[in-house]
Amino acid sequence: MIVTLLYFVLFRSAVVEGARSLWTEGSGSGDPSGECICEAFLPNSTFPIGELISLESTAVEINRKLEIEISKVETYEVKLNIYIAKISNLTVLIKLMEDDPDSYSEFHLEEVKIQIKQVEALIVELQASIQTTSTVLITIRQQISVVISVLTQLEITYDKNLVLVTRREYLILQQKLEACEIRHNEIFNPNIGICNHRGIRRISKPIISQLNANLNGAFKYGGWGKDSKPLPGSENMHWYYGYSDTLVNKITLYSDYYNLIMRQASKSHELFVNYKYDWQGTGNNYIVRENTLYYQFRSTFGMAKFNMTSLSTLYKEVPKASARFSYHYSANQNLDFAADESGLWVTYATEESKGKLVLGKIDEKTFVVEEVWQTSVFKPSVGNSFMVCGVLYATRSVDSKTEEIFYTFDTHTEQESYVSIPFEKFQDVYVYLDYNPTDQKLYMYNNGYYVSYHVWFNYEGSRDQLSIGY
């Protein structure tokens, strides 16, 4: 492949210096304008320089799209404030008319009706615009995730330093997108942490971040996500663990999403130190809450929590829990921990229940199961389960590309129901799925890859109708 010096100018000086040692042959010449043109012969088998140039061009285009959407979000905020002011004024006016109807004529009533219709039309228009921006942001995120995955593979195959510059550019775009989505959420979804909805309406397409931090395709067991109740200063902290079987012997923390993708860990905690302690677990259904790892203990069947602040572990039995009933996709998933807006939960099965799911609410102070609900769904038929606002959601496989939320159990009403909320899998087998109430997202560990989903809810009330459900 022949590349001119101009191509290398599109990169960084670091790329030029790194590539220089790979040149197999070179020549220099001058054109009539006096410009010196240098040519280098760089075989495709040595380094995919053309691919990186193309990816940088894509980065410029993504950045342009992102700037447009950021500008739109700012405009939406201004419009929304205007519409809220109009609605407030109309509310006051209608209240005055109700209190003193004799002071207002039919003309006044018609005028108010016209104003209501105008505001309604504006809200419908704004809602359509918001939905379009939401779709564009998701598309941009998918584009960035796919490219980062490609760059990760290039980094494994080729010289890390040469790929790193372009990879960082995309991660900067990823951070910019995250900031835009956060602002979007603040404006249009003020309900994070609040349960004023009627349950899940739909799930987004999978957002694939990249292969696990170990860059090991054999690490098919594991999990990742965010702290469901972060300590102050740790709101952006992410965690990860992966391994080739269901043993749990380590937890790695990252200060934010960027460092997770860059594999730059802030801390790593071992659950086993020879001759000192053996706090290892098993299964793939652990969570982090208040900087504490909740997981299934290995040496004696029960639940354990590892406090990463005090570096101490506590173990408790779960009354009647059986080690015989695991989820459909993986062995040893006998205790499944979950956290939502209302606290900490564990699901399991008992011999008494004949393998049907049992849901327990955990008292976080005493670390005991304080309340129990019996469901009618057979645990080995379930792919995984998670909790949202005190409601249990269970999934099952539809086909190799599709998973489905098929069952719910509401602990408030003790009512269960069979539903159909399909969503796309990245690959056919996954071992970890949990909801995080801090961002209303699902986190999945799918065949060694970090995957996540946005969740849309059925909202009540007029203001919530403007929410896109991030």
Side-chain angles (χ1 to χ4, degrees), residues 115-130:
Q115 289 183 48
I116 291 172
K117 287 182 179 179
Q118 287 175 341
V119 171
E120 185 180 12
L122 290 172
I123 290 174
V124 170
E125 181 184 348
L126 179 61
Q127 189 174 14
S129 301
I130 293 167

Side-chain angles (χ1 to χ4, degrees), residues 143-409:
Q143 286 180 308
I144 293 173
S145 296
V146 169
V147 173
I148 288 174
S149 182
V150 170
L151 288 168
T152 299
Q153 295 302 321
L154 289 176
E155 187 180 343
I156 298 169
T157 309
Y158 299 97
D159 187 334
K160 178 179 178 180
N161 292 329
L162 293 173
V163 180
L164 206 53
V165 173
T166 303
R167 194 160 179 265
R168 277 179 177 156
E169 288 183 355
Y170 275 92
L171 289 170
I172 289 168
L173 286 175
Q174 179 79 48
Q175 285 183 308
K176 201 172 184 180
L177 175 64
E178 293 267 338
C180 182
E181 288 185 329
I182 288 169
R183 187 62 187 138
H184 201 268
N185 290 344
E186 288 174 351
I187 297 170
F188 300 112
N189 187 19
N191 301 295
I192 287 180
I194 301 173
C195 296
N196 60 340
H197 55 75
R198 300 188 305 277
I200 294 175
R201 178 164 57 92
R202 67 184 180 94
I203 307 294
S204 75
K205 285 185 173 293
I207 301 162
I208 301 96
S209 295
Q210 70 168 38
L211 188 64
N212 58 71
N214 297 98
L215 298 179
N216 192 331
F219 280 20
K220 299 181 182 299
Y221 301 92
W224 78 294
K226 294 177 69 177
D227 193 316
S228 65
K229 191 178 179 183
L231 300 176
S234 300
E235 290 81 5
N236 297 318
M237 188 268 285
H238 284 64
W239 61 269
Y240 154 73
Y241 174 72
Y243 202 54
S244 55
D245 62 35
T246 58
L247 179 69
V248 181
N249 58 22
K250 185 179 180 181
I251 180 80
T252 303
L253 307 180
Y254 303 84
S255 59
D256 53 31
Y257 180 80
Y258 175 85
N259 284 301
L260 172 82
I261 299 300
M262 291 297 289
R263 305 191 302 280
Q264 296 175 350
S266 58
K267 281 185 181 178
S268 186
H269 297 285
E270 303 283 347
L271 296 176
F272 173 78
V273 175
N274 202 15
Y275 303 117
K276 276 192 170 183
Y277 55 81
D278 185 355
W279 298 335
Q280 295 176 100
T282 187
N284 303 280
N285 290 103
Y286 29 82
I287 61 164
V288 174
R289 186 170 176 83
E290 290 190 288
N291 207 41
T292 298
L293 174 69
Y294 290 88
Y295 63 105
Q296 179 180 316
F297 214 50
R298 185 184 69 137
S299 58
T300 305
F301 179 63
M303 60 183 187
K305 65 175 184 177
F306 171 59
N307 188 310
M308 292 181 281
T309 304
S310 64
L311 301 181
S312 60
T313 298
L314 181 62
Y315 161 84
K316 288 286 182 74
E317 290 185 6
V318 180
K320 300 183 180 180
S322 171
R324 281 206 314 126
F325 303 100
S326 184
Y327 284 139
H328 172 70
Y329 291 113
S330 175
N332 297 329
Q333 292 184 299
N334 303 304
L335 299 180
D336 179 8
F337 294 91
D340 66 359
E341 293 80 358
S342 55
L344 182 64
W345 307 81
V346 61
T347 57
Y348 53 97
T350 66
E351 298 295 332
E352 203 174 72
S353 73
K354 298 180 180 179
K356 292 179 180 177
L357 266 179
V358 176
L359 173 63
K361 180 72 181 293
I362 298 174
D363 185 306
E364 295 182 59
K365 290 183 179 179
T366 61
F367 194 44
V368 296
V369 178
E370 62 178 353
E371 197 169 0
V372 172
W373 293 265
Q374 172 70 61
T375 77
S376 63
V377 64
F378 188 53
K379 186 178 178 182
S381 69
V382 173
N384 220 293
S385 69
F386 57 90
M387 297 293 298
V388 180
C389 291
V391 178
L392 173 74
Y393 292 83
T395 71
R396 66 182 174 191
S397 177
V398 176
D399 54 46
S400 61
K401 295 293 183 184
T402 310
E403 193 78 358
E404 175 189 53
I405 297 173
F406 76 100
Y407 174 85
T408 68
F409 182 88

Side-chain angles (χ1 to χ4, degrees), residues 98-140:
E98 287 177 344
D99 292 342
D100 187 13
D102 294 336
S103 300
Y104 297 91
S105 64
E106 188 70 25
F107 172 78
H108 291 112
L109 184 60
E110 287 300 320
E111 188 176 359
V112 169
K113 287 181 180 178
I114 290 170
Q115 289 183 48
I116 291 172
K117 287 182 179 179
Q118 287 175 341
V119 171
E120 185 180 12
L122 290 172
I123 290 174
V124 170
E125 181 184 348
L126 179 61
Q127 189 174 14
S129 301
I130 293 167
Q131 189 62 53
T132 301
T133 290
S134 170
T135 303
V136 172
L137 290 177
I138 291 172
T139 301
I140 291 173

Side-chain angles (χ1 to χ4, degrees), residues 426-443:
F426 171 55
Q427 295 187 40
D428 58 346
V429 175
Y430 71 93
V431 296
Y432 180 89
L433 182 69
D434 255 310
Y435 168 79
N436 193 298
T438 66
D439 54 12
Q440 293 185 336
K441 289 170 67 173
L442 289 176
Y443 289 86

Side-chain angles (χ1 to χ4, degrees), residues 32-56:
S33 67
E35 182 181 357
C36 180
I37 299 175
C38 298
E39 293 181 342
F41 296 88
L42 190 62
N44 279 328
S45 59
T46 303
F47 186 73
I49 198 78
E51 278 191 63
L52 288 184
I53 290 169
S54 175
L55 289 176
E56 279 216 317

